[in-house]
Amino acid sequence: MKNSRILAGLLPALLCFLPACRQASGPEQAWVARVGTSYLYRSELEAMLPRGLLPMDSLETARKKVASWVSQQVLLQRAEENMDERAAGRIERQIEDYRKSLMIFNYEENITRQLLDTVVLDKEIEEYYRQHQDQFVLKSNIVRVRFVKVSKQSKHLARLKEGLFSASLENDGNLFNYAELCRDFSENFFLDGDKWLYFNDFLREVPVKTYNQEEFLKHHRNIEVEAGSHIYYVSILDFRIRDMLSPLSFEQDRIRAIVLNQRKKALLDKMEKDLLQEAVRSGMVEYYDGGSQDEVGQI
């Protein structure tokens, strides 16, 4: 109730944040809420509001932002009042460590953006796949599949079924024409037969009943599934079951990411080593009790 009264009292101030009123608003440092010695200024609240909101949406969003800020400040000030010196020191060290980590991360991201070669050739992907096949053993079943979902009342059931199950569908022209047919007369369809899918993802789209996925995949190619007022025509083109080697085409994006991550690590490791060696040579780094400079210079 107290928060509600506070916000109700702020209504005239919040109204000034609506786009139509901003030109007529008060001083830039006018505040809209206070908790102890902390103030939420109009400019700060304005910066919290997403652009393009309608007037009433702006008002409601502003109310929520103020309520959230007040709540947070009350908790923060109570926490500060009850903070012992040891906890305060620990928090300050954590904040400083986090600040340092952010600065280093930002610097490394800039270096990576400027110097990292992001082009991964197909032959590099193939070589990594060949040398690390133990990393690409399937933990789930995958399929290459096409399917069409059609209303049972459709006059085009026979054409859609015959077209999907036809061997000539592999012809690009026939596939294009069939896709046009699906767009016009089906409820849903998927025709990218080159794309590997997790079988479990496929089952979320097509209500196939199976208690043994591996056996089902081994013994089914063209199937029909009835569910409610719809029929699904499904053509299973290929499959791989768990514990088999995953196809290269299914792993390309993953391998590309692995290769880029390795390059990034190597680049940053070299940068760190070069910077340290240069700092030692220039006298920027100094160790108490000597001896260590030579050791660090050889890192």
Side-chain angles (χ1 to χ4, degrees), residues 49-77:
L49 300 179
R51 295 183 180 277
L53 290 177
L54 295 173
M56 290 310 298
D57 292 335
S58 291
L59 178 58
E60 182 61 27
T61 301
R63 284 173 173 158
K64 291 178 180 178
K65 294 292 185 183
V66 171
S68 177
W69 182 89
V70 167
S71 230
Q72 184 184 58
Q73 289 300 315
V74 169
L75 286 171
L76 177 61
Q77 292 188 25

mmCIF file of all heavy atoms in Angstrom, residues 49-77:
data_model
loop_
_atom_site.group_PDB
_atom_site.id
_atom_site.type_symbol
_atom_site.label_atom_id
_atom_site.label_comp_id
_atom_site.label_asym_id
_atom_site.label_seq_id
_atom_site.Cartn_x
_atom_site.Cartn_y
_atom_site.Cartn_z
ATOM 1 N N LEU A 49 13.302 4.057 -20.243
ATOM 2 C CA LEU A 49 12.096 3.768 -21.020
ATOM 3 C C LEU A 49 12.441 3.403 -22.457
ATOM 4 O O LEU A 49 13.177 4.144 -23.119
ATOM 5 C CB LEU A 49 11.159 4.983 -21.015
ATOM 6 C CG LEU A 49 10.667 5.446 -19.645
ATOM 7 C CD1 LEU A 49 9.777 6.677 -19.801
ATOM 8 C CD2 LEU A 49 9.925 4.341 -18.932
ATOM 9 N N PRO A 50 11.926 2.294 -22.966
ATOM 10 C CA PRO A 50 12.149 1.937 -24.375
ATOM 11 C C PRO A 50 11.565 3.000 -25.299
ATOM 12 O O PRO A 50 10.564 3.641 -24.985
ATOM 13 C CB PRO A 50 11.396 0.602 -24.534
ATOM 14 C CG PRO A 50 11.211 0.091 -23.144
ATOM 15 C CD PRO A 50 11.109 1.299 -22.257
ATOM 16 N N ARG A 51 12.190 3.182 -26.428
ATOM 17 C CA ARG A 51 11.700 4.148 -27.403
ATOM 18 C C ARG A 51 10.465 3.616 -28.122
ATOM 19 O O ARG A 51 10.297 2.414 -28.269
ATOM 20 C CB ARG A 51 12.794 4.465 -28.437
ATOM 21 C CG ARG A 51 13.995 5.169 -27.840
ATOM 22 C CD ARG A 51 15.004 5.525 -28.919
ATOM 23 N NE ARG A 51 16.167 6.204 -28.362
ATOM 24 C CZ ARG A 51 16.221 7.500 -28.105
ATOM 25 N NH1 ARG A 51 15.183 8.260 -28.359
ATOM 26 N NH2 ARG A 51 17.319 8.036 -27.586
ATOM 27 N N GLY A 52 9.627 4.530 -28.579
ATOM 28 C CA GLY A 52 8.494 4.142 -29.417
ATOM 29 C C GLY A 52 7.262 3.687 -28.669
ATOM 30 O O GLY A 52 6.321 3.186 -29.287
ATOM 31 N N LEU A 53 7.238 3.824 -27.312
ATOM 32 C CA LEU A 53 6.056 3.402 -26.574
ATOM 33 C C LEU A 53 4.917 4.405 -26.758
ATOM 34 O O LEU A 53 5.139 5.610 -26.880
ATOM 35 C CB LEU A 53 6.385 3.287 -25.086
ATOM 36 C CG LEU A 53 7.314 2.147 -24.656
ATOM 37 C CD1 LEU A 53 7.578 2.238 -23.151
ATOM 38 C CD2 LEU A 53 6.724 0.794 -25.005
ATOM 39 N N LEU A 54 3.688 3.892 -26.736
ATOM 40 C CA LEU A 54 2.522 4.761 -26.741
ATOM 41 C C LEU A 54 2.421 5.468 -25.393
ATOM 42 O O LEU A 54 2.956 4.977 -24.391
ATOM 43 C CB LEU A 54 1.257 3.942 -27.003
ATOM 44 C CG LEU A 54 1.175 3.275 -28.384
ATOM 45 C CD1 LEU A 54 -0.052 2.363 -28.448
ATOM 46 C CD2 LEU A 54 1.144 4.312 -29.486
ATOM 47 N N PRO A 55 1.751 6.630 -25.311
ATOM 48 C CA PRO A 55 1.687 7.391 -24.062
ATOM 49 C C PRO A 55 1.286 6.571 -22.845
ATOM 50 O O PRO A 55 1.955 6.616 -21.818
ATOM 51 C CB PRO A 55 0.666 8.487 -24.381
ATOM 52 C CG PRO A 55 0.821 8.714 -25.848
ATOM 53 C CD PRO A 55 1.116 7.364 -26.435
ATOM 54 N N MET A 56 0.189 5.827 -22.919
ATOM 55 C CA MET A 56 -0.251 5.054 -21.755
ATOM 56 C C MET A 56 0.729 3.947 -21.426
ATOM 57 O O MET A 56 0.931 3.604 -20.254
ATOM 58 C CB MET A 56 -1.661 4.489 -21.992
ATOM 59 C CG MET A 56 -2.750 5.561 -21.989
ATOM 60 S SD MET A 56 -2.660 6.666 -20.534
ATOM 61 C CE MET A 56 -2.941 5.486 -19.208
ATOM 62 N N ASP A 57 1.351 3.355 -22.445
ATOM 63 C CA ASP A 57 2.370 2.326 -22.202
ATOM 64 C C ASP A 57 3.582 2.945 -21.520
ATOM 65 O O ASP A 57 4.194 2.336 -20.639
ATOM 66 C CB ASP A 57 2.782 1.663 -23.520
ATOM 67 C CG ASP A 57 1.664 0.823 -24.116
ATOM 68 O OD1 ASP A 57 0.800 0.366 -23.334
ATOM 69 O OD2 ASP A 57 1.649 0.643 -25.338
ATOM 70 N N SER A 58 3.966 4.159 -21.932
ATOM 71 C CA SER A 58 5.087 4.849 -21.319
ATOM 72 C C SER A 58 4.822 5.100 -19.842
ATOM 73 O O SER A 58 5.697 4.913 -18.994
ATOM 74 C CB SER A 58 5.350 6.191 -22.012
ATOM 75 O OG SER A 58 5.852 5.983 -23.316
ATOM 76 N N LEU A 59 3.606 5.515 -19.525
ATOM 77 C CA LEU A 59 3.240 5.793 -18.141
ATOM 78 C C LEU A 59 3.319 4.533 -17.286
ATOM 79 O O LEU A 59 3.896 4.534 -16.200
ATOM 80 C CB LEU A 59 1.837 6.391 -18.090
ATOM 81 C CG LEU A 59 1.273 6.691 -16.695
ATOM 82 C CD1 LEU A 59 2.190 7.657 -15.954
ATOM 83 C CD2 LEU A 59 -0.136 7.256 -16.796
ATOM 84 N N GLU A 60 2.760 3.436 -17.788
ATOM 85 C CA GLU A 60 2.757 2.183 -17.034
ATOM 86 C C GLU A 60 4.184 1.654 -16.856
ATOM 87 O O GLU A 60 4.558 1.185 -15.777
ATOM 88 C CB GLU A 60 1.887 1.146 -17.754
ATOM 89 C CG GLU A 60 1.777 -0.190 -17.027
ATOM 90 C CD GLU A 60 1.159 -0.046 -15.647
ATOM 91 O OE1 GLU A 60 0.375 0.908 -15.415
ATOM 92 O OE2 GLU A 60 1.462 -0.907 -14.792
ATOM 93 N N THR A 61 4.985 1.751 -17.934
ATOM 94 C CA THR A 61 6.377 1.298 -17.846
ATOM 95 C C THR A 61 7.152 2.147 -16.856
ATOM 96 O O THR A 61 7.949 1.632 -16.062
ATOM 97 C CB THR A 61 7.048 1.364 -19.231
ATOM 98 O OG1 THR A 61 6.320 0.550 -20.151
ATOM 99 C CG2 THR A 61 8.485 0.864 -19.162
ATOM 100 N N ALA A 62 6.920 3.460 -16.874
ATOM 101 C CA ALA A 62 7.598 4.367 -15.940
ATOM 102 C C ALA A 62 7.239 4.015 -14.503
ATOM 103 O O ALA A 62 8.095 3.996 -13.613
ATOM 104 C CB ALA A 62 7.233 5.806 -16.246
ATOM 105 N N ARG A 63 5.961 3.748 -14.247
ATOM 106 C CA ARG A 63 5.549 3.339 -12.899
ATOM 107 C C ARG A 63 6.313 2.107 -12.428
ATOM 108 O O ARG A 63 6.796 2.046 -11.296
ATOM 109 C CB ARG A 63 4.050 3.039 -12.893
ATOM 110 C CG ARG A 63 3.148 4.257 -12.913
ATOM 111 C CD ARG A 63 1.724 3.807 -13.070
ATOM 112 N NE ARG A 63 0.781 4.901 -12.942
ATOM 113 C CZ ARG A 63 -0.444 4.880 -13.430
ATOM 114 N NH1 ARG A 63 -0.866 3.815 -14.097
ATOM 115 N NH2 ARG A 63 -1.250 5.909 -13.260
ATOM 116 N N LYS A 64 6.407 1.115 -13.305
ATOM 117 C CA LYS A 64 7.090 -0.129 -12.935
ATOM 118 C C LYS A 64 8.579 0.111 -12.696
ATOM 119 O O LYS A 64 9.171 -0.474 -11.779
ATOM 120 C CB LYS A 64 6.892 -1.174 -14.039
ATOM 121 C CG LYS A 64 5.458 -1.683 -14.140
ATOM 122 C CD LYS A 64 5.316 -2.686 -15.278
ATOM 123 C CE LYS A 64 3.878 -3.189 -15.383
ATOM 124 N NZ LYS A 64 3.684 -4.134 -16.518
ATOM 125 N N LYS A 65 9.193 0.951 -13.529
ATOM 126 C CA LYS A 65 10.616 1.243 -13.360
ATOM 127 C C LYS A 65 10.870 1.940 -12.024
ATOM 128 O O LYS A 65 11.832 1.634 -11.319
ATOM 129 C CB LYS A 65 11.121 2.118 -14.513
ATOM 130 C CG LYS A 65 11.106 1.456 -15.886
ATOM 131 C CD LYS A 65 12.108 0.335 -15.973
ATOM 132 C CE LYS A 65 12.152 -0.229 -17.395
ATOM 133 N NZ LYS A 65 13.082 -1.381 -17.504
ATOM 134 N N VAL A 66 10.004 2.899 -11.682
ATOM 135 C CA VAL A 66 10.158 3.614 -10.415
ATOM 136 C C VAL A 66 9.973 2.649 -9.245
ATOM 137 O O VAL A 66 10.744 2.651 -8.283
ATOM 138 C CB VAL A 66 9.169 4.787 -10.322
ATOM 139 C CG1 VAL A 66 9.189 5.397 -8.918
ATOM 140 C CG2 VAL A 66 9.505 5.847 -11.355
ATOM 141 N N ALA A 67 8.935 1.816 -9.323
ATOM 142 C CA ALA A 67 8.677 0.853 -8.243
ATOM 143 C C ALA A 67 9.871 -0.082 -8.059
ATOM 144 O O ALA A 67 10.278 -0.379 -6.928
ATOM 145 C CB ALA A 67 7.419 0.049 -8.553
ATOM 146 N N SER A 68 10.444 -0.546 -9.158
ATOM 147 C CA SER A 68 11.602 -1.439 -9.094
ATOM 148 C C SER A 68 12.808 -0.734 -8.480
ATOM 149 O O SER A 68 13.516 -1.291 -7.643
ATOM 150 C CB SER A 68 11.938 -1.943 -10.500
ATOM 151 O OG SER A 68 13.094 -2.757 -10.480
ATOM 152 N N TRP A 69 13.020 0.529 -8.886
ATOM 153 C CA TRP A 69 14.157 1.293 -8.358
ATOM 154 C C TRP A 69 14.001 1.526 -6.863
ATOM 155 O O TRP A 69 14.943 1.359 -6.092
ATOM 156 C CB TRP A 69 14.262 2.628 -9.097
ATOM 157 C CG TRP A 69 15.433 3.458 -8.653
ATOM 158 C CD1 TRP A 69 16.692 3.432 -9.142
ATOM 159 C CD2 TRP A 69 15.433 4.454 -7.612
ATOM 160 N NE1 TRP A 69 17.495 4.327 -8.487
ATOM 161 C CE2 TRP A 69 16.740 4.971 -7.531
ATOM 162 C CE3 TRP A 69 14.456 4.947 -6.745
ATOM 163 C CZ2 TRP A 69 17.106 5.959 -6.622
ATOM 164 C CZ3 TRP A 69 14.810 5.930 -5.829
ATOM 165 C CH2 TRP A 69 16.115 6.432 -5.769
ATOM 166 N N VAL A 70 12.808 1.922 -6.431
ATOM 167 C CA VAL A 70 12.555 2.166 -5.008
ATOM 168 C C VAL A 70 12.810 0.901 -4.197
ATOM 169 O O VAL A 70 13.467 0.912 -3.155
ATOM 170 C CB VAL A 70 11.108 2.677 -4.797
ATOM 171 C CG1 VAL A 70 10.723 2.643 -3.321
ATOM 172 C CG2 VAL A 70 10.954 4.088 -5.347
ATOM 173 N N SER A 71 12.264 -0.214 -4.669
ATOM 174 C CA SER A 71 12.434 -1.497 -3.974
ATOM 175 C C SER A 71 13.904 -1.856 -3.831
ATOM 176 O O SER A 71 14.376 -2.273 -2.767
ATOM 177 C CB SER A 71 11.737 -2.571 -4.776
ATOM 178 O OG SER A 71 10.928 -3.326 -4.012
ATOM 179 N N GLN A 72 14.642 -1.716 -4.943
ATOM 180 C CA GLN A 72 16.065 -2.060 -4.941
ATOM 181 C C GLN A 72 16.837 -1.167 -3.981
ATOM 182 O O GLN A 72 17.710 -1.643 -3.232
ATOM 183 C CB GLN A 72 16.634 -1.939 -6.358
ATOM 184 C CG GLN A 72 18.090 -2.362 -6.461
ATOM 185 C CD GLN A 72 18.645 -2.130 -7.845
ATOM 186 O OE1 GLN A 72 18.646 -1.007 -8.343
ATOM 187 N NE2 GLN A 72 19.110 -3.206 -8.477
ATOM 188 N N GLN A 73 16.535 0.134 -3.996
ATOM 189 C CA GLN A 73 17.257 1.057 -3.122
ATOM 190 C C GLN A 73 16.981 0.792 -1.652
ATOM 191 O O GLN A 73 17.877 0.893 -0.808
ATOM 192 C CB GLN A 73 16.891 2.499 -3.482
ATOM 193 C CG GLN A 73 17.442 2.980 -4.808
ATOM 194 C CD GLN A 73 18.962 2.936 -4.834
ATOM 195 O OE1 GLN A 73 19.623 3.344 -3.887
ATOM 196 N NE2 GLN A 73 19.509 2.440 -5.940
ATOM 197 N N VAL A 74 15.741 0.470 -1.305
ATOM 198 C CA VAL A 74 15.408 0.146 0.084
ATOM 199 C C VAL A 74 16.220 -1.069 0.545
ATOM 200 O O VAL A 74 16.819 -1.075 1.625
ATOM 201 C CB VAL A 74 13.898 -0.110 0.242
ATOM 202 C CG1 VAL A 74 13.587 -0.705 1.609
ATOM 203 C CG2 VAL A 74 13.115 1.186 0.048
ATOM 204 N N LEU A 75 16.251 -2.106 -0.290
ATOM 205 C CA LEU A 75 17.027 -3.307 0.047
ATOM 206 C C LEU A 75 18.513 -2.998 0.143
ATOM 207 O O LEU A 75 19.208 -3.455 1.054
ATOM 208 C CB LEU A 75 16.786 -4.393 -1.010
ATOM 209 C CG LEU A 75 15.435 -5.102 -0.955
ATOM 210 C CD1 LEU A 75 15.268 -5.990 -2.188
ATOM 211 C CD2 LEU A 75 15.317 -5.942 0.313
ATOM 212 N N LEU A 76 19.017 -2.201 -0.831
ATOM 213 C CA LEU A 76 20.434 -1.872 -0.854
ATOM 214 C C LEU A 76 20.843 -1.090 0.392
ATOM 215 O O LEU A 76 21.863 -1.388 1.028
ATOM 216 C CB LEU A 76 20.750 -1.061 -2.117
ATOM 217 C CG LEU A 76 22.195 -0.576 -2.269
ATOM 218 C CD1 LEU A 76 23.157 -1.758 -2.315
ATOM 219 C CD2 LEU A 76 22.344 0.277 -3.526
ATOM 220 N N GLN A 77 20.051 -0.083 0.759
ATOM 221 C CA GLN A 77 20.414 0.728 1.913
ATOM 222 C C GLN A 77 20.319 -0.068 3.212
ATOM 223 O O GLN A 77 21.137 0.096 4.118
ATOM 224 C CB GLN A 77 19.540 1.986 1.953
ATOM 225 C CG GLN A 77 19.842 2.929 0.798
ATOM 226 C CD GLN A 77 19.142 4.264 0.894
ATOM 227 O OE1 GLN A 77 18.783 4.709 1.988
ATOM 228 N NE2 GLN A 77 18.936 4.911 -0.246
#
